[in-house]
């Protein structure tokens, strides 16, 4: 097979699997050498969802920070978790240092 090239990879920590949780949508709207802009939305009207966002298909990129609106959080890791309230979502701007980590097939919770 061929390696997967991807800016972001999503994981469902509640079901312990790769991919977006049920009822969650993701849309990458822009990216350049250092930043990826993505919108995550929980379409479930009654249940919270948690999504783990990983930088790169194999965690090969380092997430330096995540910005939502005027608020910015330093991450300093290959992935981060975000909790989405029922029926809510938001736009994230993820600042990355590409190819900073050794690629791995391990899930983020290992």
């Amino acid at each position: 097979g061929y390696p997967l090239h991807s800016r972001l990879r999503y994981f469902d920590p509640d079901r312990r699997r790769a991919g977006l949780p049920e009822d969650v949508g993701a849309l990458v709207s822009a990216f350049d050498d250092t930043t990826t802009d993505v919108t995550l939305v929980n379409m479930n009207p009654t249940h919270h969802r948690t999504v783990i966002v990983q930088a790169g298909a194999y965690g090969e990129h380092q997430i330096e920070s995540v910005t939502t609106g005027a608020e910015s959080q330093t991450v300093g890791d290959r992935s981060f978790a975000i909790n989405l309230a029922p029926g809510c979502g938001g736009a994230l701007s993820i600042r990355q240092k590409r190819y900073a980590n050794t690629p791995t097939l391990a899930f983020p919770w290992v």
Side-chain angles (χ1 to χ4, degrees), residues 14-80:
D14 295 330
R15 292 188 173 179
R16 296 294 227 206
R17 66 174 185 85
L20 288 167
E22 184 177 359
D23 301 325
V24 173
L27 173 67
V28 173
S29 56
F31 63 90
D32 60 26
D33 288 347
T34 59
T35 307
T36 303
D37 295 336
V38 62
T39 301
L40 296 172
V41 178
N42 177 6
M43 295 172 278
N44 190 298
T46 59
H47 293 93
H48 284 78
R49 297 289 188 232
T50 300
V51 180
I52 295 177
V53 179
Q54 177 179 280
Y58 308 103
E60 66 272 21
H61 309 314
Q62 182 81 358
I63 299 170
E64 295 176 338
S65 65
V66 178
T67 302
T68 59
E71 187 177 330
S72 186
Q73 294 284 333
T74 300
V75 177
D77 203 350
R78 63 179 74 220
S79 65
F80 66 93

Side-chain angles (χ1 to χ4, degrees), residues 1-20:
Y2 296 98
L4 175 63
H5 294 279
S6 174
R7 249 337 146 84
L8 302 175
R9 186 175 179 195
Y10 310 101
F11 293 89
D12 181 349
D14 295 330
R15 292 188 173 179
R16 296 294 227 206
R17 66 174 185 85
L20 288 167

